[in-house]
Amino acid sequence: MVGLGVGLIGTGYMGKSHTLAWNSVAPVFGDVERPRLAVLAEVNQERADRKASELGFARATDDWRSLVADPAVDVVSVAAPNEFHPAMAIAALEAGKHVWCEKPMAIALPDAERMRAAARTSGRVAVLGYNYIQNPIVGLIRRILDEGRLGAVNHVRVEMDEDYMADPEAPFSWKSEARSGHGVVDDFGVHPLSLILVLLGGVRRVCGHMAKPYADRPVAGSGRRAVETSDIASALIELDIGASGILAVNRAAGGRKGRIAVQIFGSHGALAYDQERLNELQLYTTDLPPERQGFRTILSAPSHPPYDRFVPAPGHSLGFNDLKIIECRALIGRIRGEATLAIDFEDGVAIERTVDAIARSAGVGGWVTVADR
Ligand SMILES: NC(=O)c1ccc[n+]([C@@H]2O[C@H](COP(=O)([O-])OP(=O)(O)OC[C@H]3O[C@@H](n4cnc5c(N)ncnc54)[C@H](O)[C@@H]3O)[C@@H](O)[C@H]2O)c1
């Protein structure tokens, strides 16, 4: 059988990560055909040609619409900025292609709903880039929760912090433009929400707050430009299971490099995980005598699938791009009819509804029910 033909739109940070995943998924997992890197699209032909040569794609174009119509393409990786996700994903689905679209799904809830409708109509597989749920340690957390080891979960706290916009003199980019969305809620908040969704289920209501630490940022060679999005957001949340929670996200958090700190508390234990130490889980359970109770550290190991597909030895660590390879295998599995773990466009809308509720709540300054829109 011939492997899937891949079309890639956008070759920045995420375009490269998708390419590494498409290249590695067959050798790592050993149970799928090697995908073909068919064609990539960029903003101009010079950049497209250069990136095709670097990344190993057979052809390059400056017109993403020709890519989605290309018969050599079976699946489209959408790794362009947020504002383009709806048009690109919908066009690809309408052309009969499967879609792997980066988060956030869209910058406005109605767009996400249009994407979901296109996926339903097409019957094609459409999944989103929520790589953090693919960590084998997160799989272990799911099993611990499913087995009830923490008892009744009553509180969750998730914080996502990075400092790439902590410097007031960090240059203005598309992430500070309103056309990229609300700001850090779309940029970061969706990741914690994806973790909450797969670990604990949906969010019932929220009370949000969004902040802009810096009013403007420098534009190369032309003064300063007003920042249109929020770099800090916080929300009190209440889950469908009744647990209370806190979500705090900040892309101007000095010193934090890649923190996604998850704490889950239950009647019989607690756990803590941080993406900055993505191969470790801190677990506390009350089933030991009181004098031996305390958090213990579990290192990722072959007993936490699919870690075993990467390394046969425990404690040797996976990294960020490995999570993308696992996500790629989940996507191919969906195409083959397997019930793999992935955030598809149905789940994606649930996340976008919560984002929309946080933004509405911040606007009115009070609690908002997620289902109310
Ligand atoms: N899943 C994750 O962990 C994660 C991490 C970072 C970014 N992202 C998401 O990935 C997407 C891309 O972010 P990035 O950090 O890779 O951005 P980036 O700026 O590094 O790359 C974007 C690329 O898209 C290209 N591009 C822009 N408009 C285009 C168009 N019309 N046609 C073709 N190419 C176009 C740009 O030239 C650039 O090469 C964003 O939606 C972002 O939210 C996800």
Side-chain angles (χ1 to χ4, degrees):
M1 207 179 101
V2 180
L4 293 165
V6 177
L8 170 70
I9 309 178
T11 63
Y13 173 18
M14 272 307 107
K16 183 169 186 172
S17 188
H18 277 229
T19 305
L20 293 173
W22 286 119
N23 267 326
S24 304
V25 67
V28 166
F29 281 89
D31 61 354
V32 297
E33 298 296 323
R34 184 181 285 271
R36 291 171 292 109
L37 303 185
V39 49
L40 67 70
E42 256 296 344
V43 283
N44 59 55
Q45 195 63 45
E46 183 279 324
R47 182 169 168 81
D49 288 338
R50 182 160 46 83
K51 286 294 177 178
S53 161
E54 264 174 45
L55 299 176
F57 277 75
R59 286 182 287 120
T61 176
D62 62 356
D63 174 15
W64 65 264
R65 289 188 185 278
S66 74
L67 179 151
V68 301
D70 196 312
V73 171
D74 302 305
V75 53
V76 177
S77 274
V78 178
N82 306 352
E83 66 183 292
F84 301 112
H85 294 179
M88 289 172 175
I90 291 170
L93 290 163
E94 287 178 349
K97 317 296 184 182
H98 305 290
V99 170
W100 183 12
C101 179
E102 268 312 318
K103 51 52 66 176
M105 189 172 179
I107 61 167
L109 181 57
D111 288 333
E113 289 170 338
R114 287 194 301 114
M115 292 165 79
R116 178 180 61 182
R120 284 178 179 171
T121 305
S122 72
R124 298 291 160 180
V125 169
V127 306
L128 293 154
Y130 283 111
N131 21 282
Y132 299 114
I133 67 164
Q134 303 294 348
N135 187 338
I137 283 287
V138 172
L140 175 61
I141 295 174
R142 287 182 86 204
R143 287 197 295 287
I144 288 167
L145 292 170
D146 287 350
E147 290 166 8
R149 304 274 169 178
L150 301 191
V153 170
N154 44 48
H155 187 63
V156 59
R157 260 185 241 168
V158 192
E159 298 156 60
M160 181 163 178
D161 301 311
E162 292 184 23
D163 66 359
Y164 74 94
M165 289 173 88
D167 182 351
E169 298 306 309
F172 191 95
S173 79
W174 61 265
K175 295 203 170 192
S176 292
E177 289 187 54
R179 65 192 172 101
S180 73
H182 308 288
V184 72
V185 181
D186 312 83
D187 196 12
F188 285 9
V190 293
H191 279 304
L193 290 172
S194 74
L195 287 163
I196 290 171
L197 184 66
V198 301
L199 293 174
L200 298 168
V203 177
R204 185 186 298 158
R205 56 185 199 128
V206 300
C207 183
H209 182 263
M210 304 201 292
K212 269 184 216 172
Y214 310 117
D216 54 36
R217 290 187 180 278
V219 180
S222 59
R224 301 184 74 86
R225 182 168 166 186
V227 170
E228 297 162 1
T229 55
S230 301
D231 294 334
I232 300 171
S234 317
L236 298 175
I237 59 176
E238 183 182 280
L239 302 190
D240 287 339
I241 58 168
S244 79
I246 294 176
L247 175 72
V249 289
N250 184 354
R251 57 188 183 187
R256 296 298 185 193
K257 304 299 176 186
R259 183 166 189 257
I260 307 179
V262 179
Q263 292 186 87
I264 300 175
F265 301 94
S267 54
H268 292 88
L271 57 80
Y273 158 81
D274 186 347
Q275 171 67 19
E276 283 185 352
R277 306 186 70 85
L278 71 90
N279 290 275
E280 293 180 18
L281 174 64
Q282 304 290 324
L283 179 64
Y284 167 77
T285 52
T286 55
D287 54 1
L288 290 171
E291 78 276 10
R292 292 183 217 165
Q293 286 180 10
F295 275 97
R296 63 182 188 274
T297 303
I298 301 169
L299 291 185
S300 55
S303 54
H304 308 133
Y307 176 102
D308 55 316
R309 299 290 187 152
F310 293 82
V311 212
H316 282 48
S317 300
L318 303 190
F320 175 86
N321 283 315
D322 296 328
L323 307 188
K324 223 59 190 162
I325 298 169
I326 301 171
E327 185 171 77
C328 187
R329 177 62 185 80
L331 165 69
I332 294 172
R334 288 280 181 112
I335 293 171
R336 299 193 330 186
E338 299 163 6
T340 54
L341 175 72
I343 301 282
D344 58 21
F345 280 17
E346 302 289 332
D347 296 330
V349 167
I351 291 171
E352 295 304 328
R353 291 184 88 84
T354 310
V355 167
D356 179 75
I358 292 170
R360 283 186 291 128
S361 161
V364 299
W367 283 92
V368 159
T369 301
V370 173
D372 272 357
R373 182 150 168 169

